[in-house]
Amino acid sequence: MSRMFADVIVNISHEKLDHTFQYRVPEEFQEDVKPGAVVQIPFGRGDRLTKGYVVKVTDTPEYEVAKMKEIRDVLRDGTSVSGEDRLVALAAWMRQMYGATMIQALKTVIPATQKVKPKEKRSICLLLGEQEAQEKLEFYRKKNQRARARLLEALIQEPEIPYEIAAGKLNIQPATLRALEEQGVAKCRAVQVYRNPIREKYGRAGRVELNQEQQKIVEDMRLHWDDPACRVSLLFGVTGSGKTEVYMEAIDIALARGQQAIVLIPEIAHTYQT
């Protein structure tokens, strides 16, 4: 098998390091090292292990092979650029267009769903019917079990309450909740939730009403929707001008037509310097 070499961008956002470094690819990693792969490499004088992104694989060394360092490992932690040349090319275009470093551009095109970690949301649910719950509440009051009575009274009013409210506002300790669970009165339910920036911004109010200027932009996009010369739309505006509402409306139109939409948000543009 012929030798392979990888051009790697080091995971350090510094202009002086904004170029590729070539590494030897060990035989055991030759099937895994491809454009977009995340690798662990020795870097600097002390050969400190650092993360890097492969942007090119070749069989032609750029300098003396004996002095070239070797890739130590291929990371499989869900932070690759999907192994696709087109995303690496997109990152290169963003670097040139917006004056960013290549590592910033590569991190931007990494699929967002691979970055997001779920959070656990816990709530306490009532298991008893209304009559049984009232009887149990009277029992707790007679026994002077104030914490249990306080939690049960809250659950009678609202059959499911967030765990944070029970622990904070009601001052319920874990031992109290365990007691109600053992008696079949209530149970703690946990679900994994992912951050949704649109829902967090607009809540559950439904569709956002566009203002006159936003609606004009959407209508102009709709008018030229099927024109091959207008397949890409550039939406420009200062922060807070309402760009998000416009492109979300455009995405809704595309999905309703059975199409797809690609939105490129150049958040790294602020790094551009002349």
Side-chain angles (χ1 to χ4, degrees):
M1 182 178 294
S2 61
R3 279 191 169 184
M4 289 175 53
F5 307 93
D7 293 345
V8 179
I9 287 287
V10 181
N11 188 27
I12 301 176
S13 296
H14 195 287
E15 292 182 0
K16 292 184 178 180
L17 301 179
D18 191 29
H19 60 88
T20 59
F21 296 84
Q22 196 168 75
Y23 286 81
R24 296 196 311 270
V25 180
E27 185 175 346
E28 63 266 28
F29 296 141
Q30 291 194 5
E31 293 184 1
D32 299 319
V33 174
K34 57 189 67 175
V38 183
V39 294
Q40 192 175 56
I41 52 175
F43 187 76
R45 294 181 179 179
D47 285 343
R48 178 171 60 90
L49 291 182
T50 307
K51 183 188 295 186
Y53 292 81
V54 178
V55 297
K56 181 181 177 182
V57 176
T58 178
D59 57 2
T60 304
E62 294 182 354
Y63 56 95
E64 189 176 344
V65 176
K67 296 182 179 180
M68 194 180 300
K69 298 178 182 180
E70 193 173 68
I71 289 175
R72 295 288 181 85
D73 197 4
V74 178
L75 304 181
R76 300 171 180 84
D77 57 356
T79 56
S80 70
V81 194
S82 301
E84 299 184 21
D85 292 344
R86 62 188 181 89
L87 291 182
V88 175
L90 173 61
W93 175 85
M94 292 170 66
R95 171 196 182 193
Q96 181 179 5
M97 184 69 179
Y98 301 112
T101 62
M102 187 62 176
I103 188 63
Q104 288 174 313
L106 282 170
K107 288 182 177 180
T108 301
V109 302
I110 293 175
T113 53
Q114 296 182 359
K115 290 181 179 180
V116 177
K117 294 182 179 181
K119 293 184 178 180
E120 188 177 74
K121 182 178 180 180
R122 293 190 292 172
S123 60
I124 302 174
C125 306
L126 180 64
L127 300 179
L128 302 179
E130 184 177 353
Q131 184 176 351
E132 288 180 296
Q134 289 291 350
E135 293 174 355
K136 199 69 174 177
L137 178 59
E138 289 301 320
F139 173 80
Y140 289 153
R141 286 172 176 170
K142 288 180 180 180
K143 294 293 184 179
N144 200 28
Q145 297 175 349
R146 297 178 181 178
R148 300 182 188 184
R150 191 164 59 248
L151 177 56
L152 182 53
E153 186 175 10
L155 287 171
I156 291 174
Q157 295 178 1
E158 187 67 38
E160 183 172 357
I161 60 176
Y163 184 88
E164 294 78 10
I165 291 180
K169 186 176 180 180
L170 300 178
N171 193 26
I172 300 300
Q173 300 300 318
T176 301
L177 177 58
R178 284 197 299 270
L180 266 66
E181 287 181 321
E182 292 172 358
Q183 296 173 15
V185 176
K187 70 173 182 179
C188 185
R189 185 169 66 95
V191 294
Q192 287 187 334
V193 294
Y194 288 84
R195 176 179 176 270
N196 187 326
I198 301 302
R199 185 180 302 154
E200 288 175 5
K201 183 174 182 180
Y202 302 114
R204 299 184 180 180
R207 198 178 195 85
V208 177
E209 192 71 27
L210 301 182
N211 61 34
Q212 185 176 358
E213 186 176 0
Q214 291 169 330
Q215 190 62 46
K216 181 180 178 181
I217 296 172
V218 172
E219 290 303 324
D220 184 68
M221 295 172 65
R222 194 196 303 267
L223 181 64
H224 299 89
W225 202 273
D226 296 317
D227 186 349
C230 301
R231 297 297 299 276
V232 178
S233 297
L234 174 63
L235 187 61
F236 178 79
V238 299
T239 301
S241 60
K243 300 183 297 297
T244 300
E245 290 82 353
V246 173
Y247 74 68
M248 290 302 294
E249 183 72 18
I251 290 174
D252 281 345
I253 296 173
L255 296 179
R257 292 165 61 100
Q259 298 173 328
Q260 294 179 330
I262 297 178
V263 181
L264 176 60
I265 307 175
E267 295 182 352
I268 61 173
H270 69 279
T271 62
Y272 185 75
Q273 297 177 356
T274 58

